[in-house]
Amino acid sequence: MDEEYDVIVLGTGLKECILSGLLSVDGLKVLHMDRNDYYGGESSSLNLIQLWKRFRGSDKPPANLGLSRDYNVDMIPKFMMANGTLVRTLIHTDVTKYLSFKAVDGSYVFNKGKIHKVPATDMEALRSPLMGLFEKRRARKFFIYVQDYDENDPTTHEGLDLTRVTTKELISKYGLDDNTIDFIGHALALHRDDRYLYEPALDTVKRMKLYAESLARFQGGSPYIYPLYGLGELPQAFARLSAVYGGTYMLNKPECKVEFDLEGKACGVTSEGETARCKKVVCDPSYLPNKVRKVGKVARAIAIMSHPIPNTDESHSAQVILPQKQLGRKSDMYLFCCSYSHNVAPKGKFIAFVSTEPETDRPELELKPGIDLLGPVDELFFETYDRYEPVNEPSLDNCFISTSYDASTHFESTVMDVLSMYNMITGKSLDLSVDLSAASAAEEY
């Protein structure tokens, strides 16, 4: 271990593993360490015995739940946009050869006490029970505007500069009511709160186009895909990529202590009396707690069930978004369901998650509106964790710290953090203009 590296990465969470892979591909000498004896950090997948140990303090789950090894329960459950940034990163790095994906069956939104399929195109808008007849016509016009919009073709802009016009101003031009705005902003554009209404509309239009493009890519019921055997496969796939390009991995390394020189710059990491020298350190917030600040919490319920989420068309995998206004909250709530169809549970079993950013000191009570939509559950677990973001200046201390995972059940914000860190570490942007058809060999339809 007593060597010099360009970068030492601490923690094998998804963000750290993606960066480790990207930097290794770039030709940097990378050492990747973790205090745990398993990959994934906070974003690991647990079998049933591991789940029981973590939440029940015992290693003997009930026999009626099936074999432990048939479970892969994600601790940070998120789906991927089929046309999104994470999929582009997977293709760019050729990590797709280590993974198999399957489309997610359904995408839904909670509105006026009921679960509805999310309409994503002008034709779906006309069929949706979310809106009355006249509202459907107005929504259809807005959807056509978004579908036709091309940032580089002013003839599609209808005289609007979307870098200046706010989302609220754009939507008001089409006369849409608050309910329609709610599902467009939260279930299509995937905003987590309502701040987007007062920001330039271009971001929301791009998000809506990404949703529609991702949906069209599979001709299925949702724009999302998800790896077989769960998200724990992703960090390991990027770890394999790093190793192929010369990266060195060391798990089960206790007390990874970052060392600093007299100027306050990171210069190495010490574990078990040995120090590896380096120019830069990349890590999750837990490795440098004095360089991060708490920015919130995530509350999550994990349910094992013997049926799909009711009112989701018997979907074996689905996302349901509960917009903040529908619940009288400041932030959205998310339902995520997957099952044996993605090899994350034994046949006949379903894993459901309810996640949100808690707004009181009684998070279990706050999750109740989402849990109530699940129907009968076999087992229910709760957890709450703090979210952190870095407060250091990487140009001064050479420490590049990731932000904690949010409550949402999709990956776009996660990958934007990774790409921003990559840019800071290397001084260049990752070119993700890839041919998405190249992924077809690694996907299951």
Side-chain angles (χ1 to χ4, degrees), residues 323-337:
Q324 54 179 81
K325 267 189 191 154
Q326 302 295 324
L327 305 175
R329 296 175 51 79
K330 296 191 191 85
S331 56
D332 292 358
M333 192 173 294
Y334 302 87
L335 265 63
F336 172 110
C337 177

Side-chain angles (χ1 to χ4, degrees), residues 29-42:
K29 189 176 180 184
V30 176
L31 171 62
H32 201 147
M33 302 164 71
D34 196 316
R35 63 171 79 91
N36 298 312
D37 60 358
Y38 56 86
Y39 285 101
E42 290 299 306

Side-chain angles (χ1 to χ4, degrees), residues 94-308:
D94 207 21
V95 165
T96 42
K97 66 187 173 196
Y98 304 129
L99 299 160
S100 291
F101 293 96
K102 194 172 177 183
V104 171
D105 293 341
S107 176
Y108 299 87
V109 64
F110 182 75
N111 188 277
K112 295 182 183 171
K114 289 184 177 174
I115 292 175
H116 299 272
K117 187 179 185 306
V118 177
T121 65
D122 58 311
M123 296 315 292
E124 285 190 351
L126 285 177
R127 292 195 297 267
S128 175
L130 274 167
M131 299 168 285
L133 180 63
F134 295 112
E135 183 70 3
K136 282 177 179 176
R137 289 177 183 168
R138 290 189 287 267
R140 180 171 181 263
K141 283 181 183 170
F142 178 60
F143 277 37
I144 289 171
Y145 172 76
V146 171
Q147 281 161 226
D148 291 346
Y149 183 87
D150 179 347
E151 200 176 348
N152 301 313
D153 180 0
T155 62
T156 66
H157 298 183
E158 292 186 10
L160 298 172
D161 179 357
L162 297 195
T163 62
R164 293 173 178 270
V165 173
T166 67
T167 310
K168 193 175 178 66
E169 288 166 342
L170 173 64
I171 288 175
S172 67
K173 181 175 181 284
Y174 290 87
L176 302 179
D177 69 26
D178 284 350
N179 264 321
T180 308
I181 294 168
D182 218 22
F183 83 72
I184 285 174
H186 294 263
L188 280 175
L190 301 178
H191 291 291
R192 299 199 300 271
D193 53 43
D194 276 346
R195 281 177 295 189
Y196 76 95
L197 287 168
Y198 307 98
E199 293 168 354
L202 183 60
D203 179 49
T204 295
V205 167
K206 281 182 172 178
R207 284 165 171 252
M208 289 178 68
K209 288 177 81 68
L210 171 62
Y211 189 104
E213 288 159 6
S214 297
L215 185 69
R217 190 161 169 221
F218 284 95
Q219 303 291 315
S222 90
Y224 305 111
I225 60 173
Y226 184 70
L228 296 181
Y229 303 101
L231 293 174
E233 297 294 295
L234 281 174
Q236 293 189 60
F238 278 101
R240 286 172 74 178
L241 174 74
S242 176
V244 165
Y245 282 88
T248 304
Y249 270 76
M250 294 183 183
L251 296 182
N252 209 10
K253 298 294 286 184
E255 299 165 15
C256 293
K257 179 175 178 283
V258 180
E259 304 288 354
F260 294 89
D261 64 18
L262 295 174
E263 294 177 359
K265 292 182 184 292
C267 60
V269 174
T270 300
S271 175
E272 298 176 310
E274 290 184 295
T275 301
R277 297 181 306 284
C278 66
K279 301 183 183 84
K280 292 172 180 172
V281 167
V282 174
C283 65
D284 71 46
S286 70
Y287 285 88
L288 285 171
N290 61 333
K291 290 183 180 282
V292 298
R293 66 170 179 184
K294 183 178 160 186
V295 288
K297 284 178 175 288
V298 172
R300 182 169 290 125
I302 304 169
I304 300 176
M305 314 191 300
S306 298
H307 58 84

Side-chain angles (χ1 to χ4, degrees), residues 378-404:
D378 303 337
E379 297 288 344
L380 193 61
F381 311 90
F382 288 98
E383 77 167 344
T384 305
Y385 64 86
D386 293 328
R387 288 180 55 232
Y388 296 93
E389 69 178 16
V391 292
N392 66 313
E393 178 46 67
S395 62
L396 298 178
D397 62 12
N398 287 344
C399 296
F400 300 85
I401 307 168
S402 61
T403 302
S404 303

